[in-house]
Amino acid sequence: MPIAGKGMLLTSMNIDAADEVEFNRWYDREHLEERVAIDGFLEARRYVAHDGNPKYLSLYSTETFEVLDSPAYRTALANQTAWSKANISRFRDMIRAVARITSSRGTGRGAALGIIRLRPPSGGAEKLRAKLREHLDPAKLDGIISMHLIESDPALSKPITDDP
């Protein structure tokens, strides 16, 4: 099933085992609700790696890419609650990608998720996009029901804390 919208915020991190209960409570009870309440945010999904690093991944889809640089989103980032600040300070191995959804194909959402990070050579982005669209067609691959290409914006994907 294609992802709704044209923008994607991807965050992943590790959390020390001693902080996981509080982190998960915060994420489920405050953070996800706050993010999807921002005008233009469509949905949020959380994943936990059974065997991988980083352990936690969240995906937020937005109506447009521009939502991820909007005044409403910037206001939310600038006005974190004390609970948010406490949990964000505990993130380890944080990855934050603000991205455009440039291709989204398929017929559903699976129970498992795989992410591959690619960096095309200088000037090779369009060639890589074309090859991925040609070879990664979920209709032609057993066990794959959807695939999505998201391309991060380096300027907007910077860490939101002083300690990247």
Side-chain angles (χ1 to χ4, degrees):
M1 162 184 318
I3 295 174
K6 297 294 179 190
M8 175 73 64
L9 172 63
L10 177 152
T11 61
S12 65
M13 71 284 298
N14 286 314
I15 298 294
D16 288 335
D19 297 319
E20 283 187 298
V21 170
E22 181 69 9
F23 165 78
N24 285 304
R25 184 176 293 123
W26 162 74
Y27 225 105
D28 293 342
R29 295 185 182 172
E30 180 179 277
H31 189 67
L32 287 176
E33 185 176 318
E34 284 181 345
R35 289 300 174 259
V36 296
I38 297 169
D39 190 40
F41 273 65
L42 299 173
E43 66 176 357
R45 286 169 278 154
R46 282 191 76 198
Y47 299 90
V48 178
H50 292 282
D51 181 24
N53 187 31
K55 183 174 181 177
Y56 293 98
L57 169 73
S58 295
L59 302 174
Y60 306 85
S61 57
T62 60
E63 289 176 9
T64 65
F65 172 76
E66 290 74 23
V67 166
L68 296 164
D69 195 29
S70 68
Y73 181 53
R74 294 250 172 234
T75 298
L77 289 176
N79 294 289
Q80 304 281 352
T81 67
W83 200 14
S84 290
K85 289 177 184 176
N87 278 285
I88 290 169
S89 72
R90 297 180 186 120
F91 290 179
R92 291 186 300 110
D93 310 315
M94 171 73 169
I95 296 171
R96 179 176 180 272
V98 174
R100 290 173 176 82
I101 300 169
T102 55
S103 180
S104 185
R105 299 159 51 182
T107 57
R109 291 194 184 141
L113 173 73
I115 294 178
I116 301 170
R117 294 176 68 188
L118 303 171
R119 187 177 312 265
S122 180
E126 188 51 47
K127 184 177 180 180
L128 178 59
R129 274 185 216 105
K131 287 291 185 187
L132 290 172
R133 286 186 189 116
E134 175 186 346
H135 294 289
L136 299 180
D137 182 352
K140 299 176 183 174
L141 298 168
D142 291 338
I144 306 293
I145 59 172
S146 65
M147 291 187 152
H148 318 283
L149 177 60
I150 65 171
E151 298 184 44
S152 68
D153 181 286
L156 294 178
S157 295
K158 293 177 183 170
I160 59 171
T161 63
D162 293 335
D163 180 13

